[in-house]
Each structure stands twice: as C-alpha cells, then as structure tokens.
Amino acid sequence: MLQLAKISSKGQVTVPAEVRKTLQLKTGDTLAWEVQEDGKISVRRIEPIDVDYISALSGTLSEWSSAEDAEAYRDL
C-alpha cells in the first residue's frame, strides 16, 4: 500500500488515515523512526513502556557515546 504525505515548512507530516488505521494509532501515541544504511526508513508505533525503558537505559550507557564506540559496537 503506497500512501503519500507532504512535509510542512515546520517539518511536520500528517500520517495518512490508512496508515493510522493499520498501525492502530491514536492521539498521543509515539512513533519510532529507524534509518537503515541503505536509505530506507521504517516507522513503528511503540508502547509507552518502551519509551520509559529506553530513557532509563540511555543514562546508564553514556560511556558508549563516542563515534569510535558506535563503530566498535554497531554489529552487536
């Protein structure tokens, strides 16, 4: 299913109704955008527990914050 949307001057986009229905999106839901190395993008709805968990983890992993660390651990 191909769905099109335009980006506004503020960088905003309206998620097409069919996509919202398929992803079961509602007001206040959070979307995760993942950029692949080949330039493809995937978007998924994440549960609030996912956001809380990721936020909690990010503070504990600050020692892995350099470009060198990202390169060393990218295949994990």
Side-chain angles (χ1 to χ4, degrees), residues 27-44:
T27 302
D29 282 349
T30 300
L31 298 175
W33 300 72
E34 183 176 7
V35 180
Q36 309 290 323
E37 286 187 24
D38 62 3
K40 293 181 182 178
I41 306 292
S42 64
V43 181
R44 64 184 176 92

Side-chain angles (χ1 to χ4, degrees), residues 22-59:
T22 300
L23 294 177
Q24 301 176 355
L25 295 174
K26 59 188 179 306
T27 302
D29 282 349
T30 300
L31 298 175
W33 300 72
E34 183 176 7
V35 180
Q36 309 290 323
E37 286 187 24
D38 62 3
K40 293 181 182 178
I41 306 292
S42 64
V43 181
R44 64 184 176 92
R45 180 177 57 87
I46 61 172
E47 298 297 325
I49 188 71
D50 292 342
V51 174
D52 294 338
Y53 180 73
I54 291 168
S55 296
L57 278 183
S58 66

